[in-house]
Amino acid sequence: MLVTAILVVAILIVAVTSLVVRGAGVAPSEAFGVFTGNQDGFPATVVLQWRLPRVLAAIVIGAALGVAGAIFQSLTRNPLGSPDVIGFNTGAYTGVLVVIFAGAGSFAATAAGAIAGGTVAAAAVYLLCLRSGSTGLRMVVVGLGISAALTAANRWLIRSAELETSMAAATWGAGTLNGLRWPQVVPGVLALLVLIAAAGLSARRLDLFDMGDEAAQGLGLPLRATQLWLMMAGVGLTACSTALAGPISFVALAAPHIARALTRGSRMSLAPIAATGALILVVADLAAQRLFAPTQLPVGVVTVTIGGIYLVTLLAQEARR
Amino acid sequence: MRLRTDSTRQRTAWLVVLVALLAFVAVLSLMTGARPVAPDVVLHALLTPDPADPDHSVVWDGRIPRTALGLVAGVAMGVAGALVQGLTRNPLADPGLLGINAGAAFSVVLAVGVFRIETVMGYIWFAFAGAVVAAVAVLLIGRGRNFDPVRLILAGVALSAVLEGIGQGLALVNPQAFDRLRTWNVGSIAVGSLQPVTAISVFVLAGVVLGLFTGRRLNALAMGDEVAASLGTRARTTRIMAVLATTLLAGSVAATAGVIVFLGLMVPHLARRMCGPDYRWIVVYSAVLGAVILLMADILGRVIVPGELAAGIVVAFVGAPFLIALARRRKVIEL
């Protein structure tokens, strides 16, 4: 509980920082003025209409990705089992590329393409594993296969399109919170909150599931149904996040590990995992906006870079021991 | 179909068949394309080149460099795949795991985006250097006291993530670099001249020779580090040799042809099915099979869609179902 509370405080500090930081011609004092009611006009638009929805989206998407990661790691019984592994992200990217290159660039069309592509890819992996008995490793391998084929398709599409369209699509493909406004954020965030709550209800099942097939069945867990239910919750979380912000990598993979290291617990407890995911994403998004300002990086570029550096240092430390 | 044999004579016989197949595919590669050239004209073009004849110039300017790169890159990827799978004792290992592709991609972006290099030979040396530096870094990060292969893979994945992240960030703010990267990503062997092929062939040759020497040591390693040590093979030295050879081979491919996934993963499996578990044979079979498959993929890419599909894309489309079929069989998961 303490860890979660500290994480929440940290999230709030970073969130407020992103709201009031200097930029877009708005000084921190003006930004504070918006909250105390002394300031309206342009600074109010920047803070309330541009920054607030984005920060909120970062927090909720981060939490959702963390929870999705926990679910998939349980489901595949593999510490590296993340939604990317089951081909979801790549499939969503394929869907979006097809939609964008077909000439439909609206947010709704992109979101629909992401969800359709991602779901089809995930369903394909699930169905291909179903008959041959889905051990975790097999699911990972089949996922890798589907992802690789889709990656090739994506690269081919990117290669064949006009440069400008390709770059826009690739920015989405890296995962970005740029340009999110209330009309997109409100429905997306509501859907994610419902899904996170649903996942919270099944947390006990995750615990049992981690004990292995036989033990779980012995304790009266309907294995197949649980698997399908968890899969649906995980895919739903990833689908909504991806529709909002594109495939943001690493958060789903890292949040459960970091949360477990922080709480020093092996038990699956979703609150710290969600908080860790949220913190990672708000920090990464702040960095993506500010590092090369005025150029805005896609946040996924930042998450994958800090994620990689984190892994490398971890390995280097172990090697020195 | 059960091709596996245990006698040296049968293995040699199959090898001869494969080499013949490779020769056939190579000739087919010279003939096929938007402008088909008859076999006798190909022969003429090879023996008595006539610059005025359009058929001859198609063969010399387009198809010979392309076929040569297909041969060299195919051999390199096949051997690299066999070595990486032996090194990590993981049947799903791909040369890209060592950070080679990410390192090459990153330095291609650097070359174009930061150093404004525009010549093909310029990219090649940058990409090759990037691949080598990345692989050496992975080796250094992943080295533990006893050189655990799993750590090596983790280090490769982690470093790849960093390099890809930064590289993508750089590319997304620089249209030229982005354009170069997206071309490089599809893995094409359609080169315009023989120059890049000759530039890397020394490294490929060195890698193949080193790989052949490593083959026997990998046999000992396959029985476990302790057994290998009692047989007088040092696991550490073997793994370093294998990483170096893989780097030379896969780095050369990355520099000239871009990202070709799955070839290095798929070919050693086919080789193992045909010649059994002896790595000396697996390396040789993988070399020939790699070239056959890459050339066939390239030929297929030329004929199935107008405007050509890059060989790397075709290999991935063929390789993915292969990997999935492999995963669905119960036994193959462990090596």
Side-chain angles (χ1 to χ4, degrees), chain A residues 128 131-132 137-138 141 145 148-149 152 155-156 158 161 166-167 170 295 298 301 304-305 308-309 311 315 318-319 321, chain B residues 92 141 143 145 151 155 158 162 165-166 171-173 178 182-183 185-186 259 262 309 313 316-317 320 327-328 330 333:
Chain A
L128 281 168
R131 237 170 36 128
S132 48
L137 180 60
R138 186 166 282 122
V141 177
R155 285 174 170 173
W156 180 46
I158 288 268
S166 276
M167 279 186 90
T295 301
V301 165
V304 79
T305 310
I309 292 172
L311 258 179
L315 284 166
E318 260 180 49
R321 237 172 254 163
Chain B
L92 297 172
I141 300 167
R143 77 177 194 285
R145 197 160 300 149
R151 291 177 49 95
V162 179
I166 301 174
L172 281 172
V173 297
F178 179 83
R182 66 175 186 162
T183 309
N185 259 337
V186 297
V259 182
F262 263 126
L309 209 50
I313 302 289
F317 282 155
R328 285 163 59 98
R330 232 155 244 286
I333 288 291

Side-chain angles (χ1 to χ4, degrees), chain A residues 3-320:
Chain A
V3 172
T4 312
I6 294 172
L7 286 169
V8 169
V9 172
I11 293 168
L12 287 176
I13 293 172
V14 180
V16 171
T17 312
S18 345
L19 287 177
V20 301
V21 76
R22 180 180 299 276
V26 175
S29 59
E30 290 174 301
F32 271 116
V34 172
F35 293 110
T36 51
N38 300 330
Q39 187 70 249
D40 45 12
F42 182 65
T45 307
V46 170
V47 174
L48 297 178
Q49 304 297 319
W50 297 357
R51 291 180 183 171
L52 193 57
R54 179 173 182 153
V55 170
L56 189 68
I59 293 172
V60 177
I61 291 172
L65 289 175
V67 171
I71 289 178
F72 282 113
Q73 285 171 16
S74 250
L75 209 57
T76 57
R77 295 217 181 85
N78 186 320
L80 296 176
S82 75
D84 344 6
V85 166
I86 57 150
F88 191 93
N89 283 350
T90 335
Y93 194 13
T94 313
V96 168
L97 286 174
V98 169
V99 166
I100 289 182
F101 294 160
S106 76
F107 181 81
T110 316
I115 292 178
T119 314
V120 168
V125 173
Y126 185 72
L127 291 176
L128 281 168
C129 291
L130 202 61
R131 237 170 36 128
S132 48
S134 58
T135 67
L137 180 60
R138 186 166 282 122
M139 203 182 241
V140 171
V141 177
V142 172
L144 279 175
I146 299 269
S147 303
L150 289 173
T151 303
N154 294 348
R155 285 174 170 173
W156 180 46
L157 286 170
I158 288 268
R159 176 73 198 96
S160 353
E162 295 291 325
L163 185 58
E164 212 169 300
T165 327
S166 276
M167 279 186 90
T171 307
W172 184 90
T176 180
L177 297 164
N178 294 348
L180 279 184
R181 301 281 183 270
W182 287 117
Q184 300 108 44
V185 169
V186 171
V189 160
L190 284 179
L192 284 176
L193 288 176
V194 170
L195 283 163
I196 293 174
L201 291 178
S202 63
R204 223 178 59 82
R205 288 182 161 197
L206 275 179
D207 260 348
L208 294 179
F209 201 74
D210 274 346
M211 300 162 96
D213 283 359
E214 284 79 18
Q217 255 165 341
L219 289 167
L221 189 72
L223 202 64
R224 206 39 107 204
T226 308
Q227 221 172 22
L228 189 62
W229 164 243
L230 286 173
M231 181 98 180
M232 273 162 53
V235 168
L237 284 166
T238 320
C240 290
S241 311
T242 310
L244 264 179
I248 298 173
S249 45
F250 187 72
V251 181
L253 179 72
H257 291 288
I258 298 175
R260 239 168 258 144
L262 289 176
T263 55
R264 290 171 217 277
S266 59
R267 284 201 64 230
M268 188 59 87
S269 159
L270 289 182
I273 295 177
T276 309
L279 182 60
I280 295 177
L281 201 58
V282 276
V283 172
D285 194 44
L286 187 59
Q289 289 178 68
R290 301 295 156 189
L291 274 182
F292 294 96
T295 301
Q296 303 265 300
L297 285 181
V299 67
V301 165
V302 179
T303 57
V304 79
T305 310
I306 53 174
I309 292 172
Y310 167 76
L311 258 179
V312 170
T313 37
L314 211 68
L315 284 166
Q317 269 172 358
E318 260 180 49
R320 232 178 288 131

